[in-house]
Amino acid sequence: MPGDPDPENIRGSVAVVADDSGSVVVDAGQSPAHAREIQSAIRAAGLPPARWLVYTHHHWDHVWGACAWPDVEIVGHVSGQEILRREAARPWSHRYLRDEVRANPRLGPSFRARALAMQGWDDFTILPPGRTFTDELTLPTGVRLRHVGGAHAPDSTVALVPDSKVALLGDCFYPPPAHLRAPDDGPDLAMVRDLLSDDYEWYVDSHGEPTTLEQARRLVST
């Protein structure tokens, strides 16, 4: 499910990796409504129900849909667990979003996008991962999770799908979020170079077009 190219509507891509043991959903969607769209697409495609929900990192546009995914095991890096517990304790509402932007105008783009994404707050909650890992974890489907960290988020994780030769990168090589970004911050091309491998033919980040290995190598060499 591709992300929204409109930068004002912060909505990352969501991947579904399916086999006979069930579907792995990589990122939860940026809202319960977004999650329900993905669920409809899974049913329409005749794919198995989701059994695992992987967080590539803790940022809102990757986890706020989690409360709409029933009966799944949420998996994420251990460093994101406490961050999300603190986020879950905040009194989320449209009023709270407005108050936070008044206090810190640099939050404006992110918090306005959250307000647009959320149709309401009934039954909304932020869910930390119930299953965590430190370095690597392989799910029963064969999907490999690898912690890479980085400037964008300390818990950044890539999801590798060896049999499909696809690497799902999340936002791992992005600069810090806009409200924390310095003028000279940019993409971490060294991280991308380290991730490129002949074992994977496609590289998919959360807010861009899928890129072939050849295209990615050209991009990081310029």
Side-chain angles (χ1 to χ4, degrees):
M1 299 286 289
D4 193 320
D6 182 356
E8 299 296 320
N9 183 27
I10 302 172
R11 178 168 166 159
S13 62
V14 174
V16 180
V17 185
D19 74 3
D20 291 341
S21 59
S23 291
V24 178
V25 179
V26 181
D27 283 330
Q30 43 87 288
S31 64
H34 188 199
R36 288 189 286 271
E37 288 181 30
I38 299 158
Q39 291 160 6
S40 294
I42 289 174
R43 289 191 295 269
L47 299 179
R51 289 188 58 193
W52 300 274
L53 176 60
V54 172
Y55 290 162
T56 61
H57 61 297
H58 69 274
H59 290 165
W60 76 275
D61 54 316
H62 300 260
V63 306
W64 271 25
C67 59
W69 288 97
D71 304 320
V72 299
E73 181 177 38
I74 301 176
V75 185
H77 188 258
V78 65
S79 63
Q81 190 174 51
E82 183 57 35
I83 295 171
L84 287 171
R85 285 174 179 155
R86 293 195 298 270
E87 288 288 289
R90 297 170 74 174
W92 296 104
S93 68
H94 282 85
R95 179 187 295 274
Y96 176 73
L97 293 171
R98 287 193 299 270
D99 290 345
E100 289 293 292
V101 172
R102 288 192 188 101
N104 182 2
R106 294 194 69 182
L107 293 172
S110 170
F111 277 36
R112 280 192 287 271
R114 300 181 201 215
L116 288 171
M118 293 298 293
Q119 299 169 349
W121 302 93
D122 293 342
D123 301 321
F124 171 72
T125 187
I126 293 173
L127 298 176
R131 182 179 181 184
T132 61
F133 66 99
T134 52
D135 297 319
E136 291 194 5
L137 175 68
T138 300
L139 297 175
T141 59
V143 174
R144 293 176 51 213
L145 308 180
R146 176 182 165 195
H147 175 244
V148 295
H152 187 72
D155 56 331
S156 278
T157 293
V158 298
L160 306 171
V161 193
D163 57 353
S164 297
K165 297 188 175 183
V166 173
L168 302 165
L169 305 181
D171 296 352
C172 69
F173 63 91
Y174 290 13
H179 68 286
L180 300 174
R181 194 173 301 168
D184 57 347
D185 284 330
D188 188 344
L189 299 184
M191 177 186 284
V192 178
R193 282 192 289 269
D194 288 343
L195 290 170
L196 297 181
S197 164
D198 290 337
D199 294 333
Y200 297 94
E201 296 178 354
W202 287 96
Y203 293 81
V204 186
D205 67 271
S206 293
H207 299 277
E209 293 292 325
T211 302
T212 66
L213 174 61
E214 182 181 351
Q215 290 170 329
R217 282 180 168 155
R218 286 201 301 266
L219 287 169
V220 299
S221 65
T222 56

